[in-house]
Amino acid sequence: MPQKPVWDRPEVRRALNEAAREEIQQLLTARGLTHLGVLSRGRYLVLYSEEEDEKVARLRFGRIEQGRYALDMTNHRGGWEPTPFTGSLAELFRLVTEQFPWVLAEL
């Protein structure tokens, strides 16, 4: 059975997720997207908004290797749709803000 990558061990994943959460929060703040928050769920970092006291997921970054993520977006039913895009958090965030700004728009 293949061994888990070091970045997928729970103690390492928690530390990496916390650093990544802070990075995303800084990117959101710099763009004035203060209506969005970030949660970490396993290997995913989820951007969400709060609507009527409920967290509504917008998109997520899934770690595929250390420092590299895949981008998924929610569909109209709230399910996850993979995209062909991968890269660092900063690269994917820039991609979303430039090509898919409606995903981050305040409702």
Side-chain angles (χ1 to χ4, degrees), residues 5-9 12-21 40-45 60-72 87 89 92:
V6 68
W7 53 263
D8 205 24
R9 293 182 186 151
V12 175
R13 186 177 57 231
R14 276 191 292 277
L16 291 173
N17 282 357
E18 187 54 35
R21 255 182 28 74
S40 63
R41 297 282 182 256
R43 65 183 188 95
Y44 296 100
L45 297 152
R60 71 182 179 183
F61 303 106
R63 187 177 291 109
I64 52 178
E65 58 187 49
Q66 191 161 345
R68 191 164 174 80
Y69 295 81
L71 175 66
D72 299 332
L89 289 174
L92 291 174

Side-chain angles (χ1 to χ4, degrees), residues 8-54:
D8 205 24
R9 293 182 186 151
E11 65 280 2
V12 175
R13 186 177 57 231
R14 276 191 292 277
L16 291 173
N17 282 357
E18 187 54 35
R21 255 182 28 74
E22 290 175 18
E23 179 181 350
I24 294 170
Q25 196 61 59
Q26 289 174 356
L27 292 167
L28 290 170
T29 301
R31 289 280 188 153
L33 299 169
T34 56
H35 62 284
L36 297 173
V38 186
L39 297 170
S40 63
R41 297 282 182 256
R43 65 183 188 95
Y44 296 100
L45 297 152
V46 180
L47 270 65
Y48 69 92
S49 59
E50 288 200 40
E51 297 162 29
E52 299 177 13
D53 295 328
E54 184 177 327

